[in-house]
Amino acid sequence: MLNVAPAGTHSALISWVDDVAALTQPDRIVWCQGTDEERHALTDQLVQSGEFKPLNPATYPHSYWYKSDPKDVARTEHLTFVCTNAQADAGPNNVWMEPAAAKSKMSALFAGCMRGRTLYVVPYCMGPLNSPLSRYGVEITDSAYVVLNMRIMTRMGLDALRKINDSGQFVRGLHSTGDLNPDRRFIMHFPEERLIMSFGSGYGGNALLGKKCHALRIASFQGREEGWLAEHMLLLGLTSPTGQTHYVAAAFPSACGKTNLAMLLPPESMPGWKVTTIGDDIAWLQPGPDGRLWAINPEAGYFGVAPGTTEKTNRNAFKMVQGNTIFTNVALTENQEPWWEGLPGKPALDWQGNPIGEKGPYAHPNARFTVDAKHNPSYGIEAEDPNGVPLSAIIFGGRRASLAPLVYEARDWNHGVLVGASVASETTAAITGQVGVLRRDPMAMKPFCGYHFGDYWQHWINIGQQLTNPPKIFHVNWFRQSPQGQFLWPGFGDNLRVLEWMIKRIERQIDAHDTPIGAMPKAGDLNRHGLQLDEAVLTELLRVDRDAWQAEMVALEEDLKPYSDRLPSVLRQEIDALKNRLRH
Ligand code: SAT
Ligand code: MN
């Protein structure tokens, strides 16, 4: 087969494509340019093959319905490997395989796997094209669906290729959907070589290699070497009625509402506030010469959870997906419109395209939309700024029915690192496995940190030492429940009340209630104007149950045991200090 690279392509890239083609034996090699014509052609091809169903052109123009294999609907963490040279460097937080063994396993799977298929070469940039914080990658894939998603999620095409040609530096990502057999599915990372190999899945983070594989697992490893952080965080700009803008990064596990918070619409009772979205899933953070922490969103689009997205819960997202969107695993109405739980009425076909049965869910709980970030009504143009945005706050959060109060503020950076390391959350449909089980998910990075968590926390501490003006660190929990299982906090737009309290703290307008776990709002400082919330419920939301927290510390220390050989002494001291405060 012919490998005709665009003029000027770096020889290292051409020879890698040659090698992969020799191994995988595709019928054809296509170098993606990122043009509209190319997008149209690939879209038409998927429509012809029946993989894409065009949605109602009057209500959902340029939008398509796609279903994945029923056994390929979420990330598969037990099949995701970090193959560092030394096992200890991957840490107990990763599944490890010896690199040579991993490669020979993958080579066997990739051998001849693209026969009869097209090999697409997808050059992309993570981050604004002219940013010193951006990094480049090339994904080789045999899936046109993956190409179209990568085209939305990254800055893909010739501009990225030119940058790659200048530097010769890029992350290599090799992907084949294979036969989608979960027994033959592996997502392998070789962080020292900046290499990813993914076989046997066409879904989300398993297949769109720019996202979790590159922008988190490989990037976190690279960031440690180069002095920056790759984090599972949304980025938003928050402008107060006085016109002052603060930038906030927030880390929550998958499917805990990062997209909703990033696109928050202020409640009517809080006029004058404005939220702009810089990113909804991943942030790269680097200390600036001014001693502040600066952030970019490496992505260019959203791969968001569809179920639950409605006019009421997230009007911006709802508007944003009314066109130019790829829908994966949603249900379909008789008018050829996408449908998911939370929307009115009922669909005609479920997410697999079958007539619906008696009982839902009709959309898959991890059904997704892929859409260009620029279509978001709250899109913040700062997302294009090569310098990124300076952070005033970092928020950690999880989905916890009990214990963690609505909000608290870390005492300082190092205490904040402990707060981040302590994040725990109930699992969601974003990963294959049981839903609703509490698991420790430090910095919401458990599935995404490409190296030993102990080294990672030390890296966080080191970054903090470079910041003369660090962001304040907070913890939130929107998901506290009553013993009867009702949510205590309304969430969504009303979360702005909590952000407002943070801004007042950052601007030193108010003091706070000092508790063993951190600073908390004083009665009256949390804006409840226009909010129906019983005093007793608020008290419960802000209660620190010392006994429960002491039990939590026992659980935390147990969870940290596997990391003890590399646990930073600073973190050890923070744990002891917190335990001490809880005793007095
Ligand atoms: O499948 S993805 O990893 O892209 C989505 C998620 O789990 O956050
Ligand atoms: Mn995510």
Side-chain angles (χ1 to χ4, degrees):
M1 79 305 316
L2 234 52
N3 179 12
V4 188
T9 301
H10 200 282
S11 58
L13 175 53
I14 296 179
S15 57
W16 179 53
V17 173
D18 279 337
D19 291 348
V20 169
L23 174 68
T24 59
Q25 298 286 310
D27 278 12
R28 201 161 328 95
I29 298 177
V30 171
W31 287 73
C32 295
Q33 325 244 324
T35 60
D36 287 337
E37 296 75 55
E38 174 183 277
R39 180 166 51 88
H40 292 148
L42 288 171
T43 304
D44 288 347
Q45 184 186 311
L46 288 176
V47 171
Q48 304 280 301
S49 71
E51 288 163 90
F52 263 10
K53 257 195 198 155
L55 292 169
N56 188 322
T59 47
Y60 284 84
H62 313 296
S63 298
Y64 300 88
W65 180 87
Y66 177 86
K67 70 177 160 80
S68 72
D69 186 274
K71 287 200 280 314
D72 186 32
V73 291
R75 279 182 295 104
T76 40
E77 293 182 359
H78 58 294
L79 307 175
T80 302
F81 293 74
V82 169
C83 310
T84 43
N85 292 324
Q87 175 165 16
D89 290 339
N93 43 306
N94 283 301
V95 191
W96 179 82
M97 195 180 293
E98 197 269 315
K103 279 186 195 156
S104 73
K105 192 179 198 60
M106 294 308 270
S107 293
L109 292 168
F110 276 106
C113 74
M114 295 191 191
R115 267 188 210 117
R117 298 192 192 181
T118 301
L119 179 159
Y120 299 96
V121 185
V122 185
Y124 62 87
C125 172
M126 299 312 289
L129 267 164
N130 295 311
S131 171
L133 303 175
S134 295
R135 295 291 182 273
Y136 300 88
V138 178
E139 175 165 356
I140 293 179
T141 178
D142 54 8
S143 161
Y145 165 81
V146 165
V147 177
L148 287 170
N149 276 272
M150 285 293 284
R151 149 97 201 201
I152 296 173
M153 296 304 295
T154 71
R155 281 116 174 141
M156 180 273 253
L158 288 179
D159 288 341
L161 182 61
R162 271 181 217 112
K163 297 280 187 181
I164 290 168
N165 295 341
D166 290 346
S167 70
Q169 303 284 319
F170 60 97
V171 170
R172 291 162 165 75
L174 172 54
H175 169 255
S176 172
T177 48
D179 55 9
L180 297 173
N181 178 349
D183 296 334
R184 290 155 48 80
R185 178 178 303 159
F186 298 96
I187 300 96
M188 303 269 195
H189 303 74
F190 304 86
E192 283 121 340
E193 290 176 61
R194 315 278 192 257
L195 172 68
I196 305 154
M197 296 175 122
S198 167
F199 189 90
S201 167
Y203 197 84
N206 288 343
L208 315 177
L209 301 186
K211 198 173 180 55
K212 310 294 188 176
C213 298
H214 177 167
L216 287 175
R217 296 193 193 94
I218 300 288
S220 60
F221 190 96
Q222 184 171 7
R224 180 176 174 232
E225 290 178 349
E226 298 176 354
W228 48 281
L229 289 162
E231 296 299 325
H232 193 204
M233 291 176 175
L234 66 87
L235 282 174
L236 60 82
L238 185 57
T239 306
S240 66
T242 59
Q244 174 85 4
T245 298
H246 287 278
Y247 295 98
V248 175
F252 304 98
S254 297
C256 285
K258 280 200 300 299
T259 304
N260 288 342
L261 184 61
M263 298 181 185
L264 182 147
L265 216 66
E268 268 170 30
S269 51
M270 293 180 74
W273 286 89
K274 195 175 146 206
V275 170
T276 52
T277 315
I278 318 291
D280 84 325
D281 194 40
I282 299 176
W284 287 354
L285 318 177
Q286 188 161 46
D290 60 355
R292 291 191 289 179
L293 189 60
W294 290 73
I296 61 163
N297 169 15
E299 300 190 285
Y302 311 125
F303 184 66
V305 180
T309 303
T310 66
E311 283 239 60
K312 198 158 158 273
T313 59
N314 190 339
R315 197 192 320 151
N316 284 326
F318 192 71
K319 275 196 185 147
M320 162 178 91
V321 301
Q322 304 300 306
N324 303 291
T325 303
I326 300 170
F327 293 94
T328 300
N329 293 345
V330 302
L332 259 186
T333 69
E334 54 186 14
N335 299 325
Q336 305 300 308
E337 290 174 342
W339 188 96
W340 48 80
E341 275 61 31
L343 293 180
K346 272 201 173 177
L349 304 179
D350 68 14
W351 63 278
Q352 277 296 297
N354 299 319
I356 61 164
E358 289 277 287
K359 271 214 334 255
Y362 300 126
H364 188 278
N366 194 34
R368 299 269 171 167
F369 52 74
T370 321
V371 62
D372 189 323
K374 291 202 184 71
H375 293 309
N376 172 9
S378 64
Y379 181 66
I381 192 66
E382 303 96 313
E384 304 296 326
D385 191 330
N387 297 315
V389 294
L391 293 182
S392 298
I394 290 176
I395 304 173
F396 292 112
R399 179 185 284 274
R400 292 196 75 161
S402 62
L403 187 79
L406 178 62
V407 59
Y408 61 98
E409 175 191 318
R411 299 156 74 91
D412 55 24
W413 180 271
N414 285 348
H415 177 221
V417 175
L418 174 62
V419 169
S422 313
V423 166
S425 192
E426 287 137 23
T427 50
T428 67
I431 45 166
T432 299
Q434 220 184 333
V435 169
V437 186
L438 189 74
R439 79 160 177 180
R440 191 76 51 191
D441 191 354
M443 278 83 171
M445 284 286 279
K446 171 73 187 57
F448 307 123
C449 182
Y451 61 105
H452 195 298
F453 259 156
D455 296 335
Y456 168 71
W457 296 321
Q458 185 62 56
H459 185 45
W460 262 82
I461 291 161
N462 297 347
I463 292 279
Q465 276 165 2
Q466 296 173 50
L467 303 172
T468 49
N469 192 359
K472 267 185 182 292
I473 298 181
F474 298 90
H475 187 281
V476 300
N477 178 16
W478 316 133
F479 302 96
R480 276 293 294 279
Q481 289 179 24
S482 70
Q484 291 75 37
Q486 278 142 344
F487 287 109
L488 297 180
W489 177 250
F492 301 107
D494 286 305
N495 292 337
L496 180 59
R497 300 170 191 278
V498 176
L499 299 182
E500 180 190 26
W501 178 75
M502 293 175 184
I503 299 302
K504 286 190 185 153
R505 290 289 297 157
I506 289 158
E507 293 183 347
R508 295 175 210 275
Q509 292 179 28
I510 51 171
D511 57 6
H513 189 51
D514 192 25
T515 82
I517 61 168
M520 292 179 59
K522 285 191 159 167
D525 278 346
L526 196 70
N527 177 355
R528 277 196 288 160
H529 175 69
L531 177 70
Q532 299 285 344
L533 191 75
D534 279 1
E535 200 65 44
V537 173
L538 186 66
T539 306
E540 179 56 27
L541 279 166
L542 295 175
R543 191 163 68 93
V544 180
D545 179 337
R546 277 177 189 253
D547 291 342
W549 272 95
Q550 281 178 346
E552 169 73 3
M553 294 309 289
V554 173
L556 174 66
E557 290 197 272
E558 192 59 36
D559 292 343
L560 293 182
K561 263 193 192 143
Y563 308 103
S564 56
D565 57 332
R566 298 200 190 185
L567 194 73
S569 56
V570 170
L571 214 55
R572 183 72 261 158
Q573 287 154 21
E574 288 295 335
I575 292 168
D576 290 341
L578 173 52
K579 278 164 61 182
N580 221 8
R581 291 197 300 273
L582 283 165
R583 271 197 294 269
H584 293 101

